[in-house]
Amino acid sequence: MRRYFLVAGIDFGTSFTKVVVRDNNAPGSKATVVPFPQFPNGLLPSLVGIQEERLTLSAFPEKAANIPYLKMLVAHVAQHNTLCNSPSKVPKRLIPLYHKRKNTRQLLRDMLSYYLAYVIAATKAFIRTQSNWKDFDFTPQNPNDTLLFQLAVPTGLLNDDGKTEKLFRQSFIAGHALSQDVNPSGVEAMPYTTWARKVDSVIPPNSTDWEAGYEWQCLIYPEVAAAVQTIFRAPNAQDGLYITMDVGAGTVDLNAFRRFTVPNSGQRNLDYYAAIVRPLGVQNLVDTHIIVNPLTEAQLMAALRQTIQELYHSACLYQPNCGAIPGRRTWDHTRLFIFGGGSHRQEYQKNFQAGIANAGIHNSRFYFLPQATDIKLPPNIDFGRFAVAYGLSFFRANLDTVHLPHQLERFANSYPQNRQRPVRQNQFNWED
């Protein structure tokens, strides 16, 4: 067995990115949060700066024009959309880079790969200098130690037949391949044209075989499935329906899914029935970047309640609300989880429950994610902010198998002749 098997879970958030590292060869040991230069609390702003057509990291130097909401921009252009119809204003300093690249998708791939290259480089520097694994062998293909990275992507961004997932993973792999070309201190800027050439040099025209070569170095996993690992890995973890809400600074991520154990095998699966990512996060009340149109609290919460109802109605295409007695129908025992940086704000809690009630779901219980005991957190930082990165510090092969909506058959297609009959395999109700 190898000496160290380190897994670095990366939560690439709308506003902040977090990394948690765990030695999966040492059961019972604590995972640890990666600190970053100038951000010792582990909350790295999810920003790429542009200064005189050079790329830099957030606030390095301060005169750079930051590109906020990079995650949402990448998802936007993955659908072959243009920057001019982006949901947020595009900083003017990005336009000259576009004219150099003349390809919006490649431009955003360059930006994201540069950011992730720095995250990976800083993580490796932490392992070398500040961690309990300072003797880690970074020699390529060494027989002693393994380090792999797992990146969380919001499930709602993965429902497009793989377009967004492919762009995220390409950027992720390019960042991994080029991480040695980025200063882990984050203080050096790089000419954009230089970085673009580097990215082109590592991504071949036909990237399918290239991506397969990184099957186990750069993994992608749905964000919410990672966040609830503290629940799912418990000895008394329960199967059933879940609705989760991750309240971030820029977005709110909503997910409806079913966790179930395959009979006679013990294998745990997650079937995602619906997922929505909307710009309804805390910063939409007061946008510090001044690039989205702020909403009043009443407008924001009305939109949140409506989105929850949309989520529920979409989920019912895969799992109808079977049964006639309120309180005993399929969705009436759904477990509700709220987490993320804004989860403790009363208005989000109140309107999460109101949206669930408006959807017609009864008796559902409301939970916060419990504090994990096997992680060393920075002082005065809530575990919920690191829940996703914590979940991704476990090797993906040991996490639940995930099926996304575009991989599932809708209920009407699965059971075209027997829609009113109780279903016991993929769908269920509490009267079965």
Side-chain angles (χ1 to χ4, degrees):
M1 184 175 74
R2 291 185 174 233
R3 180 179 51 172
Y4 297 132
F5 181 27
L6 303 186
V7 177
I10 303 174
D11 175 12
F12 174 48
T14 309
S15 294
F16 295 99
T17 292
K18 290 80 68 176
V19 181
V20 172
V21 180
R22 177 188 303 275
D23 183 2
N24 282 243
N25 270 357
S29 63
K30 286 195 173 186
T32 185
V33 171
V34 175
F36 296 93
Q38 297 195 21
F39 303 99
N41 63 358
L43 302 176
L44 177 70
S46 298
L47 301 169
V48 173
I50 300 175
Q51 185 184 42
E52 298 175 354
E53 299 186 11
R54 295 181 300 162
L55 300 181
T56 184
L57 272 298
S58 60
F60 301 131
E62 294 181 357
K63 293 182 180 179
N66 288 322
I67 309 299
Y69 305 134
L70 181 59
K71 180 166 69 174
M72 302 308 294
L73 276 176
V74 172
H76 177 73
V77 303
Q79 303 304 304
H80 304 293
N81 294 313
T82 63
L83 287 176
C84 63
N85 66 353
S86 167
S88 59
K89 298 177 185 177
V90 177
K92 293 181 179 179
R93 292 194 198 181
L94 190 59
I95 303 304
L97 305 191
Y98 168 75
H99 289 307
K100 289 180 179 292
R101 198 43 144 155
K102 301 187 185 304
N103 184 301
T104 305
R105 194 175 187 278
Q106 292 178 359
L107 171 64
L108 269 294
R109 183 187 66 189
D110 296 340
M111 306 285 286
L112 179 56
S113 64
Y114 180 78
Y115 182 82
L116 293 176
Y118 167 72
V119 171
I120 292 170
T123 300
K124 290 179 178 178
F126 164 75
I127 293 172
R128 288 189 181 101
T129 61
Q130 301 180 54
S131 75
N132 295 327
W133 314 291
K134 295 177 183 177
D135 58 340
F136 187 94
D137 185 355
F138 281 95
T139 306
Q141 299 179 340
N142 79 84
N144 302 315
D145 303 324
T146 295
L147 170 63
L148 60 86
F149 292 85
Q150 297 183 155
L151 176 69
V153 178
T155 313
L157 301 181
L158 298 181
N159 297 339
D160 50 13
D161 298 326
K163 295 186 185 72
T164 303
E165 180 179 8
K166 184 176 180 62
L167 183 53
F168 268 87
R169 191 157 189 269
Q170 273 194 355
S171 305
F172 187 22
I173 295 173
H176 186 281
L178 296 171
S179 60
Q180 72 277 1
D181 294 348
V182 177
N183 190 320
S185 69
V187 297
E188 293 182 3
M190 180 176 295
Y192 170 70
T193 52
T194 301
W195 182 257
R197 285 195 297 268
K198 288 177 179 291
V199 174
D200 287 342
S201 72
V202 297
I203 301 181
N206 184 356
S207 63
T208 302
D209 293 340
W210 173 73
E211 290 183 42
Y214 286 83
E215 181 180 8
W216 295 113
Q217 294 104 315
C218 300
L219 300 171
I220 282 180
Y221 192 74
E223 185 174 281
V224 69
V228 295
Q229 287 306 313
T230 51
I231 302 297
F232 290 165
R233 300 181 74 85
N236 60 345
Q238 297 182 355
D239 287 351
L241 293 172
Y242 291 79
I243 293 179
T244 66
M245 184 169 78
D246 182 358
V247 183
T251 63
V252 167
D253 304 344
L254 289 157
N255 297 268
F257 56 95
R258 179 189 175 201
R259 179 190 190 269
F260 66 98
T261 303
V262 179
N264 303 321
S265 74
Q267 178 182 340
R268 298 176 310 192
N269 287 354
L270 293 176
D271 278 354
Y272 276 94
Y273 298 139
I276 299 177
V277 179
R278 291 278 168 82
L280 300 174
V282 176
Q283 283 186 350
N284 290 276
L285 294 174
V286 181
D287 178 24
T288 57
H289 300 295
I290 318 176
I291 64 169
V292 297
N293 295 321
L295 303 173
T296 66
E297 181 177 323
Q299 291 172 324
L300 187 70
M301 293 305 148
L304 177 63
R305 294 192 300 272
Q306 179 61 37
T307 303
I308 292 170
Q309 293 183 64
E310 290 177 24
L311 179 89
Y312 167 71
H313 291 305
S314 296
C316 284
L317 296 173
Y318 299 92
Q319 169 57 70
N321 197 10
C322 303
I325 304 173
R328 290 193 54 80
R329 297 172 303 170
T330 302
W331 284 92
D332 287 341
H333 289 258
T334 304
R335 295 172 182 85
L336 310 176
F337 280 91
I338 181 172
F339 49 91
S343 61
H344 291 285
R345 295 181 66 116
Q346 291 291 326
E347 61 265 44
Y348 282 98
Q349 299 174 24
K350 176 181 176 181
N351 285 278
F352 185 26
Q353 292 180 299
I356 293 294
N358 292 346
I361 299 175
H362 300 275
N363 296 345
S364 296
R365 296 194 62 185
F366 177 95
Y367 303 92
F368 290 103
L369 289 180
Q371 169 74 51
T373 59
D374 59 343
I375 181 173
K376 183 180 179 182
L377 291 170
N380 304 317
I381 297 292
D382 181 68
F383 168 72
R385 305 199 73 166
F386 288 93
V388 173
Y390 166 87
L392 282 176
S393 67
F394 295 98
F395 184 35
R396 179 174 170 174
N398 297 327
L399 299 178
D400 298 324
T401 301
V402 175
H403 301 98
L404 298 174
H406 70 271
Q407 299 169 315
L408 301 176
E409 282 289 329
R410 293 188 174 186
F411 181 83
N413 295 332
S414 299
Y415 305 98
Q417 304 299 324
N418 301 295
R419 299 182 189 180
Q420 302 304 317
R421 294 178 59 185
V423 181
R424 304 177 191 276
Q425 282 191 338
N426 297 318
Q427 287 81 27
F428 68 99
N429 66 55
W430 293 104
E431 296 175 357
D432 286 354

